[in-house]
Amino acid sequence: MFIIEILKVVFLGIVEGITEWLPISSTGHMILVEEFITLNVSRDFWDLFLVVIQLGAIMAVVVLYFHKLNPFSPSKTESEKKETWNIWFRVVVGVIPAGVLGLLLNDWMEAHLMNYFVVAVALVVYGILFIVIENRNKGKKPETETMSELTYKKAFQIGLFQCLSLVPGTSRSGSTILGGILLGTDRIVATDFSFFMSIPVMFGASFLKIVKFGFHFTGEEIILLAVGMMVAFLVSIVAIKFLLKYLQRNDFKAFGWYRIALGAIVLLYFMAFK
């Protein structure tokens, strides 16, 4: 029954909306969820779905940060408009490394890295790094405390860290936020910049997937994509607000422990049942 497929998509949208923004790896969760919940669709459409559903999540960033990211807002002064353009220029600089590397290695990575072992190891390794780096930086004053203080050099360096997220299980937000913290950026600034970089990255990735798929969608496939994106959008609104509020008083160590536990679960499950 098609209604069952809709319910599956709703659940997948919830998982995507939560895990896309928290630094816990949406891919790691999806690869585990796929063991229990699979759509009755072709493999090509499933691969497309896993990428394009993220557009719904990305739209949550566009909505929540629309004023901050809109250089044409009539309520902004000329200096504020200039700073908004500077944010976008930094974003462009930041996405160049992952954009180039992703285009060159995308097919190879899908063929060789999209497996449970790589995902589990990445979850655990980055979980440990979150804990180690947060302990190391405890009590240290960030060098970059506002978005306006983020230099183009540092934006590019954070972009280099985003390249690490091309490995499944790493987490795009996790790698960029970790990179930002290591480079002396305030957690909130690093998180915001990670969100902003996700906009062109995910729009580009989705466009490439749709082109590769060929725009030949059935009516049911369009409905599944629309429902998944809408659910991911609504859940992402809540997840982003939660994360920003959480970071006002907490660090990322709790997410580190969660990643380690999830990585162990993924590894043990596949070793025991596969």
Side-chain angles (χ1 to χ4, degrees):
M1 294 177 63
F2 187 59
I3 187 65
I4 300 299
E5 300 304 303
I6 293 290
L7 292 175
K8 291 178 184 178
V9 165
V10 169
F11 181 78
L12 292 169
I14 292 172
V15 173
E16 167 61 29
I18 294 173
T19 60
E20 182 64 35
W21 305 114
L22 304 186
I24 53 179
S25 175
S26 59
T27 303
H29 285 78
M30 285 297 190
I31 198 173
L32 188 59
V33 168
E34 188 180 358
E35 287 298 303
F36 306 97
I37 299 177
T38 56
L39 296 180
N40 187 25
V41 296
S42 68
R43 185 68 210 185
D44 286 342
F45 179 77
W46 172 251
D47 291 340
L48 169 80
F49 177 85
L50 290 180
V51 175
V52 176
I53 191 178
Q54 296 175 77
L55 279 181
I58 298 304
M59 288 307 299
V61 173
V62 175
V63 170
L64 289 174
Y65 289 91
F66 184 77
H67 177 71
K68 187 169 186 175
L69 294 175
N70 180 15
F72 305 106
S73 174
S75 62
K76 287 184 176 180
T77 64
E78 288 304 313
S79 62
E80 288 173 332
K81 291 179 180 179
K82 181 179 179 180
E83 177 53 32
T84 303
W85 280 115
N86 284 332
I87 290 175
W88 278 112
F89 294 149
R90 295 185 194 105
V91 167
V92 171
V93 169
V95 301
I96 288 174
V100 173
L101 200 60
L103 285 173
L104 293 174
L105 300 179
N106 181 64
D107 291 339
W108 182 88
M109 289 185 295
E110 285 192 359
H112 296 88
L113 300 183
M114 192 62 71
N115 59 74
Y116 79 89
F117 182 76
V118 172
V119 169
V121 170
L123 283 167
V124 173
V125 169
Y126 275 78
I128 294 171
L129 286 174
F130 265 120
I131 296 169
V132 170
I133 290 170
E134 285 289 14
N135 285 335
R136 172 196 166 199
N137 283 15
K138 188 175 182 179
K140 286 186 178 180
K141 183 178 175 62
E143 297 175 6
T144 304
E145 296 185 299
T146 64
M147 188 65 68
S148 60
E149 294 175 350
L150 186 68
T151 64
Y152 284 93
K153 177 182 177 181
K154 193 165 288 188
F156 183 77
Q157 290 172 328
I158 294 175
L160 292 175
F161 277 95
Q162 185 171 230
C163 293
L164 299 173
S165 68
L166 297 173
V167 177
T170 300
S171 169
R172 188 198 51 75
S173 61
S175 60
T176 51
I177 292 170
L178 260 182
I181 293 173
L182 276 172
L183 293 167
T185 305
D186 176 78
R187 288 191 195 93
I188 298 295
V189 175
T191 301
D192 283 351
F193 191 64
S194 172
F195 290 169
F196 299 162
M197 286 199 299
S198 71
I199 297 174
V201 168
M202 293 318 306
F203 269 103
S206 297
F207 176 75
L208 290 175
K209 277 290 183 182
I210 292 173
V211 169
K212 187 176 180 180
F213 187 77
F215 296 93
H216 304 302
F217 298 102
T218 65
E220 290 186 352
E221 288 173 342
I222 291 174
I223 292 173
L224 293 176
L225 279 175
V227 171
M229 289 171 61
M230 179 56 68
V231 173
F233 167 76
L234 295 173
V235 174
S236 290
I237 293 286
V238 177
I240 291 171
K241 288 184 176 181
F242 162 78
L243 181 61
L244 293 176
K245 186 175 182 180
Y246 175 86
L247 292 180
Q248 291 175 2
R249 296 186 177 182
N250 303 277
D251 57 26
F252 284 101
K253 284 192 287 187
F255 297 114
W257 288 113
Y258 177 85
R259 288 179 63 97
I260 293 171
L262 179 63
I265 290 171
V266 171
L267 194 59
L268 292 173
Y269 171 80
F270 280 91
M271 289 176 65
F273 298 103
K274 295 295 176 179

